[in-house]
Amino acid sequence: MCLDAARRRGWEITQIVNTHEHSDHTGGNAALQDATGAKILAHAGAAARIGGVDRGLKRGDVIRVGRTVELECLDTPGHTMTHVCLLSHTAQPALYCGDTLFNAGAGNCYNGGDPHSLYDTFVTQLARLPEATRVFPGHEYLARNLEFTLDREPENRDAAALLERERGTDPAAATVTTLAEEKRINSFFRLENPAVIARLRERYPDLPEHPDARTVFVHLRELRNRW
Ligand SMILES: [Zn+2]
Ligand SMILES: [Zn+2]
């Protein structure tokens, strides 16, 4: 798909960036590199597991694409412990967030990750990005995640309206949300919301009446694993 898209547009692929080491994100490396001679870039800590990595990435590194595009590497552990997100240096930033942040959801942590680290990544990094940042995750789970949001917060009108729109949308034309929208529709950014907490306490009766945000996040992640 990447090769076809590049050919259609007359672009030369010179770099392949893996957000993390899972095979659904790295499985195309060899064939794409054979076809293009491109260099492979990935989190420095994931390089040994991926193999064939030409440039190990760390927080603050900048990937230059063509003459004008700059992508800044964020070190975003949680889904795995060696995961990068890429933030474009553009008037309206774009975030390529792999399996860390999904539209209306968060990545799972049961294949090499840790929900506490994912919480730290959400709170100390993602939530602080500009509100207008456009979100481009590695998978399209919007409708299913909105159903989870509405199960947490049945009165969330933004989530209900977006789900209604999604049901009439061509699946090939994925909806792109902004971080501002995510904060309205994504339970993992709504850790102080009274409805989220009340519903969570129905599932986890041992939770205190005013759980801290980390506790809410970790329980939401746990609940989503079985939901
Ligand atoms: Zn993954
Ligand atoms: Zn994935």
Side-chain angles (χ1 to χ4, degrees):
M1 282 175 72
C2 293
L3 207 48
D4 283 350
R7 279 185 182 140
R8 272 200 308 278
R9 292 161 189 260
W11 291 349
E12 181 194 356
I13 295 179
T14 60
Q15 302 175 89
I16 301 162
V17 187
N18 296 150
T19 52
H20 63 295
E21 65 271 34
H22 286 159
S23 59
D24 59 320
H25 296 256
T26 61
N29 284 359
L32 195 55
Q33 191 173 43
D34 283 349
T36 62
K39 300 223 178 309
I40 296 173
L41 290 68
H43 192 294
R49 264 165 293 160
I50 293 172
V53 172
D54 297 291
R55 178 179 172 194
L57 300 169
K58 58 185 190 319
R59 178 165 60 108
D61 283 355
V62 172
I63 301 167
R64 291 180 201 288
V65 183
R67 270 189 284 275
T68 55
V69 177
E70 291 186 349
L71 301 173
E72 177 188 340
C73 296
L74 313 180
D75 191 347
T76 52
H79 171 67
T80 73
M81 299 313 283
T82 49
H83 189 301
V84 290
C85 291
L86 305 175
L87 181 68
S88 71
H89 288 169
T90 40
Q92 183 176 17
L95 181 72
Y96 301 93
C97 42
D99 291 355
T100 297
L101 166 64
F102 293 122
N103 297 122
N108 68 56
C109 302
Y110 46 71
N111 197 356
D114 170 50
H116 289 273
S117 300
L118 191 61
Y119 167 78
D120 290 330
T121 289
F122 265 63
V123 169
T124 65
Q125 298 194 66
L126 303 183
R128 295 179 184 174
L129 296 176
E131 298 276 289
T133 302
R134 291 175 11 116
V135 175
F136 295 91
H139 299 275
E140 158 52 17
Y141 299 144
L142 177 55
R144 176 80 177 139
N145 283 339
L146 286 170
E147 287 169 4
F148 180 74
T149 298
L150 286 165
D151 197 35
R152 315 273 56 75
E153 271 183 273
E155 305 298 321
N156 186 321
R157 291 160 73 163
D158 294 304
L162 187 54
L163 183 57
E164 187 65 33
R165 245 192 299 149
E166 272 301 292
R167 289 192 167 131
T169 300
D170 173 2
T175 298
V176 178
T177 63
T178 63
L179 195 59
E181 277 180 280
E182 288 299 324
K183 288 178 179 177
R184 295 196 294 269
I185 61 169
N186 189 329
S187 302
F188 294 90
F189 283 123
R190 299 173 65 75
L191 307 172
E192 323 271 344
N193 183 279
V196 170
I197 293 170
R199 290 275 288 167
L200 208 53
R201 291 183 73 222
E202 291 172 16
R203 293 296 193 97
Y204 298 96
D206 292 344
L207 278 182
E209 195 177 339
H210 301 291
D212 59 55
R214 176 185 297 275
T215 301
V216 173
F217 185 98
V218 170
H219 282 78
L220 282 173
R221 190 50 264 175
E222 162 70 24
L223 180 61
R224 184 67 178 81
N225 290 345
R226 292 175 286 108
W227 188 84

